[in-house]
Amino acid sequence: MAMNVSLQAVHPIEAPPPLTNNTPPPLLMNDFEGMPGTCGGLLLRFCQFVFAVISLVVMGTTSDFPSVTAFRYLVAAVSLQSLWSILLAAVDIYALLVKRSLRNPRVVSFFTFGDGITSTLTFAAACASAGITVLIGNDLNLCDINHCTKFESATAMAFMSWFLVIPSFLLNFWSLASKSSP
Amino acid sequence: MAMNVSLQAVHPIEAPPPLTNNTPPPLLMNDFEGMPGTCGGLLLRFCQFVFAVISLVVMGTTSDFPSVTAFRYLVAAVSLQSLWSILLAAVDIYALLVKRSLRNPRVVSFFTFGDGITSTLTFAAACASAGITVLIGNDLNLCDINHCTKFESATAMAFMSWFLVIPSFLLNFWSLASKSSP
């Protein structure tokens, strides 16, 4: 006791430890739901995967999709999208299980780049298929000899999948930009 | 001389002014070419406008574009894109002339939102037109009774316009995210 009092008398101001404890580390500020390594992010990835796979299966069960380039492209794009989403979902599950944060700028920029590429490809394929589906159904009225309903369903599922990749992409890009700011 | 020496003796440490001069204001750090209010940004806007107008004119000069929904949609989308780009180009010219910075977060978020909407619409229209152009040209081989070259040119110009909106969108989004970071 006497020892403590004499030490405090020697060093009256002991400021540094409280200061470093009060300032929050800025890198941990922007860690909200939907980003990789969170439950929201995993849910987004899983839904992307499910919609992409439904689109793939529905388009694959039509007999005449290989005759139209845009439908072949849709099959390729949603295949890539489903592979990318299930891969990222696995990474998210790993991060959640070992309680590891995926806040590394290099990892986040890789995820952002991949999300940007796959979402652009999926959206382009969905738009091309939608254009052709509308051409067949509304402009030419050829739905009685074509699988219009299946084409429309596959297109809609591809749009849903794209719609769910956009939050992932924007959140990753946001976290990347706010991390590299001064 | 004697006065100065006595003042320095009274206040031996005069740190605050150099400190505030040395720390740069963080809001002015992220002001690089291509953002609104810079020459690069104006050039981007102008090129977006030119490509969108070329696409509009080329598609408008084909006689049968109203018979296909996707081509009508392309005309609407590139019209909107050209209006948006020329409006933002005018804002950029104003900002350059009065030497005013467009770093206001509300303004930047409005530009980001508008860029996101118009680029998505232009890209969707370009993809739908590309799907139909490829269907007509490659899958059905009907180029001899259709204006395939004009359709292809209009689609390519719309893609070029979209390609030039993306840097504007990403730069605005980046500046928005890095500004609102802690």
Side-chain angles (χ1 to χ4, degrees), chain B residues 32-48 92 96 164 167-168 171:
Chain B
F32 44 91
E33 280 303 317
M35 288 192 172
T38 62
C39 282
L42 178 61
L43 190 71
L44 272 180
R45 294 294 172 192
F46 190 71
C47 293
Q48 291 162 18
D92 278 354
L96 283 173
L164 290 163
S168 294
L171 281 172

Side-chain angles (χ1 to χ4, degrees), chain A:
Chain A
M1 265 306 224
M3 188 62 186
N4 278 343
V5 169
S6 84
L7 273 174
Q8 277 174 8
V10 170
H11 308 287
I13 302 155
E14 191 105 27
L19 260 177
T20 47
N21 283 338
N22 283 339
T23 49
L27 283 183
L28 296 173
M29 288 290 284
N30 39 24
D31 194 8
F32 43 90
E33 281 302 318
M35 286 189 175
T38 62
C39 282
L42 178 60
L43 191 71
L44 271 180
R45 295 293 172 194
F46 190 71
C47 293
Q48 292 162 18
F49 172 72
V50 167
F51 281 117
V53 164
I54 294 175
S55 174
L56 179 63
V57 168
V58 169
M59 190 52 94
T61 51
T62 61
S63 54
D64 51 355
F65 86 87
S67 62
V68 178
T69 308
F71 292 160
R72 286 204 303 271
Y73 174 46
L74 181 78
V75 167
V78 293
S79 305
L80 180 69
Q81 181 65 62
S82 57
L83 282 177
W84 172 257
S85 292
I86 200 69
L87 188 76
L88 275 266
V91 171
D92 277 354
I93 290 173
Y94 167 75
L96 283 172
L97 283 182
V98 304
K99 301 213 187 312
R100 212 181 134 170
S101 171
L102 295 171
R103 295 272 75 79
N104 186 318
R106 204 170 297 172
V107 170
V108 174
S109 59
F110 175 69
F111 290 172
T112 311
F113 187 74
D115 275 337
I117 298 292
T118 57
S119 72
T120 307
L121 291 179
T122 305
F123 186 58
C127 290
S129 299
I132 293 191
T133 308
V134 171
L135 180 81
I136 296 172
N138 294 22
D139 301 335
L140 303 177
N141 289 312
L142 294 175
C143 264
D144 42 351
I145 57 164
N146 283 289
H147 307 94
C148 275
T149 320
K150 282 190 172 181
F151 294 156
E152 280 162 15
S153 310
T155 306
M157 291 300 122
F159 271 118
M160 288 299 297
S161 184
W162 167 75
F163 198 69
L164 290 163
V165 184
I166 289 300
S168 294
F169 170 71
L170 291 182
L171 281 172
N172 277 333
F173 194 76
W174 184 279
S175 111
L176 199 66
S178 50
K179 203 163 297 162
S180 61
S181 73

Side-chain angles (χ1 to χ4, degrees), chain B residues 116-139:
Chain B
I117 299 290
T118 56
S119 71
T120 308
L121 291 179
T122 305
F123 186 58
C127 289
S129 298
I132 294 193
T133 308
V134 171
L135 180 81
I136 296 172
N138 294 22
D139 301 334

Side-chain angles (χ1 to χ4, degrees), chain B residues 40-61:
Chain B
L42 178 61
L43 190 71
L44 272 180
R45 294 294 172 192
F46 190 71
C47 293
Q48 291 162 18
F49 172 72
V50 167
F51 281 118
V53 164
I54 294 175
S55 173
L56 179 63
V57 168
V58 169
M59 190 52 93
T61 51

